[in-house]
Amino acid sequence: MSLLRVDGLCKEFGGVHAIADLGFAIHPGTIHSIIGPNGAGKTTLFNLITGVYTPSAGRIWFDGVDVTGRRPSDLAARGMSRTFQNLQVFFNMTALENVMVGAHLHLDRGFLAALLGLPRIRRADAALGDEAARLMRFVGLDDFIGASADAMPYGALKRLEIARALAARPKMLLLDEPAAGLNPTESREIDNVIHKVAEQGVTVVLVEHDMRMVMEISDHVLVLDYGRKLTEGRPAEVREDPEVIAAYLGGQG
Amino acid sequence: MRFLLRPKTGGLAILAAVIALLPLVLDNAFHFEIAITIGFNAIVCVGLNLLIGYAGQISLGHAAFVGLGAYGAGVLTASHGWDPLAAVGAASIGTGLLAFVVARPILRLQGHYLAMATLGLGIIIAIVLNIEDQITGGPDGMLVPPFSAFGWEPSDERQWYWLVGGFLWISVWLALNLIGSPVGRALRAVHGSEVAAEVVGVDTTHYKVLIFTVSAVLASLVGSLSAFYGMFITPNIASFFNSIEFVVMVVLGGMASTFGAVVGAAILTLLPQALTVLEDYEHLIFGLILMGVMIFMPRGLLPTLAGLRWRRRR
Ligand SMILES: Nc1ncnc2c1ncn2[C@@H]1O[C@H](COP(=O)(O)OP(=O)(O)OP(=O)(O)O)[C@@H](O)[C@H]1O
Ligand SMILES: [Mg+2]
C-alpha cells in the first residue's frame, strides 16, 4: 500500500495552473525525488501535501486516510514533517529550542502543568534537550548546539530545519531543496543524512536541483513541468527520457 | 543584569526582595498608592507581554478587559449584593469567555487582524460603559463596596500593598513557568514562523487564542481588584489611551522579557508623577517614548541593557 497518494490534484493562482491534474503515489520506505525546472510547481506541491495550501481540486490520501484540506498541524500529528526552500527558522530562539519545538507533539502540553512548572514538565524538557542535541549532531551541527538561531550561517540553518523536522519523528519527511546554496562538501553531508534517515524507515520526499544527488540517492523520480507530470520512474529510466532532456535543455539552456 | 533576565530564580528573588523592601522607603499613603498602581499595571503587562512579546500578537484593547473586570465586580457587589470574591471570579470568567469568543474566529487568520478587532472591541466596551448608565452610572462613575476575602478586609494602603505585591510576584512566577515550558516554546514558535510552527504540529490558532484569553483574564482580575481598592470607578478605566499605555509599557520594558514588562510598567507609571507640570502633554510624551524605543532600542530597555553588559563582559 502507498503511504501517500495524490489524485487529480490542481492548484490555481489567479489563472496560473501551478499544479494541474497531478496523480502519483509514494511507497513507504523509499527515497522519492520530485524534479523539474524552476516554476514547475514543486514547492506548491509540497505546500499542498503538507496542508499549507488547500487544493483547487483533487484529493490527497496519507497513510490510508483522505487528508485533503486538513491543516498542517493535523497532518504533522499523522506523521508528516518538512523543511522549507526559503528558510522558516524560529530566529527568536536558540538552535536547540528550534529543534525542541519539532518535538512539540510528543510532549505533555497541558496548560496547567506548564503554568505551575511541575517537575515532570521540567524533567521531560531536560530529556528533550539531550535528544535535540543528539539530532543536531546527527545532521552535523555539533558546533551550533549552544548557538542562537540568528547567529548561524545559511548552510547550518538548512540543516537545523532538517533536525527540527526529524524531532517530530515523522513517517514521511519532505525536503525542499536541502542542498541549495551549500558547497559540494556540505552537499555530500546532506546526502549522508538523507541516507541515514531513510535507513531508519522514514520515507523521504526530496525536491532538489542537484542532479548528481537526485540520481545517486533516489529510488524513484517524478518529473514535473508546468505543474504536470512529465514522467516518472527509476532514476536511470528518467535520465534517458527524451522529454525530460528536452524540458531541462529547453527550460534552462 | 543578564541574570535578571535568564535564570528564573535570580529574577524572582530580586523581585521578592524589591517588593519586601520597598515599604521601607514608602513613607506616606500617597507613595503606597503609587506603588500599588505600579503593581496593578505590571500584572496587566506581564499578561500582555505573553501575547505581544512571546506570541507576537498585538492587542489594542486590553484596558477594556480591565474595565470589564472592574465593572463586573463593581456591579455584582454594589447592585446585586454578591460576595466580592465570587464577583471577581464571575467577572474574570465572563471576560475570559468574551475574549475567547472574539479571538477564535479572528486568530484563525494570520496578520494584524487581532489589533484591529481589539481596537474595535475596546472602543465598543468603553462606549457601552458610558451609555448604560442605569447599570454603570455612566460617565459619572459608580461606587464600589470594600473588598473582603474569607472574612479578611484589607484595611489600609499597607495591606493592599502586600496583596497586590503578592499577586504580582505570583503572576511573574506563573508567566516564567509558562514561558519555559513546551507551551511557551510553542508561543514563541508562532512568533518566529507561523507556518513552521504549524508543520511540526503546533496548532497555532489554539495557542494564540489561549494566550489572548489568559492575558484578558489577568487584566480582568486586575480591574476587579483595582475597583475594590479605589472604591470608585469611571468608564475612563477602559479608555483607548489606557490600552495604548499598556502596549507602550510592554514595548519600553522589552518585548519577550517578563521582568522588562514589570520595569516598563514601573517607569511609565512613575513618569507622569514626576512630570506633573507637563500633564497636558502626557499623550505626546507617551507617543515620543514609543517612537524613541522603536527607533533606538527595538528590543526594549531590559534586553538592550542586558545585551550591552553581556557584550562588554566578553
Ligand atoms: N503563493 C503564490 N501565489 C501566486 N503564485 C504562486 C504562488 N506560489 C507559487 N506560485 C506560482 O506557481 C508556479 C509554481 O511555483 P513553485 O514555487 O511551486 O515552483 P518550484 O517548482 O518550486 O520552483 P523553484 O525550482 O524555483 O523552487 C510559479 O509560476 C509561481 O509563480
Ligand atoms: Mg520551489
Side-chain angles (χ1 to χ4, degrees), chain A residues 76-149:
Chain A
R78 290 168 188 278
M80 245 189 230
S81 193
R82 70 174 283 189
T83 66
F84 295 86
Q85 180 178 359
N86 303 314
L87 292 174
Q88 291 288 345
V89 173
F90 308 124
F91 284 113
N92 53 340
M93 296 191 202
T94 67
L96 197 70
E97 284 173 327
N98 267 267
V99 180
M100 288 167 83
V101 174
H104 180 75
L105 288 168
H106 304 288
L107 297 173
D108 179 346
R109 305 184 294 283
F111 179 69
L112 271 185
L115 206 55
L116 296 175
L118 295 187
R120 71 179 151 91
I121 298 269
R122 273 181 276 141
R123 271 198 301 272
D125 250 29
L128 174 62
D130 295 342
E131 168 67 10
R134 189 188 65 75
L135 282 171
M136 286 184 70
R137 279 186 223 105
F138 178 73
V139 298
L141 288 178
D142 310 52
D143 296 341
F144 295 97
I145 289 173
S148 167

Side-chain angles (χ1 to χ4, degrees), chain B residues 36 40 43 66 69-70 73 85 88 144 147 154 160 163-164 167 219-231:
Chain B
I36 290 165
F40 281 140
I43 297 165
V66 176
L85 263 194
V88 171
V144 180
F147 183 67
W160 271 103
L163 180 67
V164 175
F167 186 13
S220 169
L221 285 170
V222 167
S224 301
L225 275 187
S226 70
F228 288 119
Y229 169 67
M231 298 178 73

Side-chain angles (χ1 to χ4, degrees), chain A residues 47 50 52 71-74 76-77 80-82 84 88-94 97-98 100-105 107-111 114-118 121-122 125 128 161 164-165 168, chain B residues 6 8 50 53-54 104 107-108 173-207 210-211 214:
Chain A
N47 284 335
T50 56
V52 175
R71 62 185 293 174
S73 52
D74 185 11
M80 245 189 230
S81 193
R82 70 174 283 189
F84 295 86
Q88 291 288 345
V89 173
F90 308 124
F91 284 113
N92 53 340
M93 296 191 202
T94 67
E97 284 173 327
N98 267 267
M100 288 167 83
V101 174
H104 180 75
L105 288 168
L107 297 173
D108 179 346
R109 305 184 294 283
F111 179 69
L115 206 55
L116 296 175
L118 295 187
I121 298 269
R122 273 181 276 141
D125 250 29
L128 174 62
E161 282 208 355
R164 180 179 68 194
Chain B
R6 273 295 160 72
K8 203 169 100 180
L50 290 174
Y54 289 96
R104 182 81 205 171
L107 287 174
R108 260 176 222 281
W173 177 65
L174 293 176
L176 292 176
N177 284 342
L178 193 68
I179 293 156
S181 76
V183 176
R185 260 199 316 271
L187 286 175
R188 285 182 290 155
V190 168
H191 193 180
S193 164
E194 219 163 314
V195 65
E198 271 281 334
V199 301
V200 290
V202 177
D203 182 341
T204 54
T205 309
H206 166 78
Y207 282 102
L210 175 75
I211 210 62
V214 167

Side-chain angles (χ1 to χ4, degrees), chain A residues 30-54:
Chain A
T30 55
I31 300 180
H32 201 109
S33 286
I34 297 170
I35 62 170
N38 290 107
K42 306 179 293 293
T43 299
T44 304
L45 178 59
F46 266 25
N47 284 335
L48 290 167
I49 295 174
T50 56
V52 175
Y53 293 161
T54 331

Side-chain angles (χ1 to χ4, degrees), chain B residues 252 265-276 282 285-286 289:
Chain B
L252 170 70
I267 293 176
L268 290 185
T269 310
L270 286 172
L271 195 69
Q273 307 298 333
L275 301 175
T276 37
E282 196 181 327
I285 292 171
F286 270 75
I289 290 176

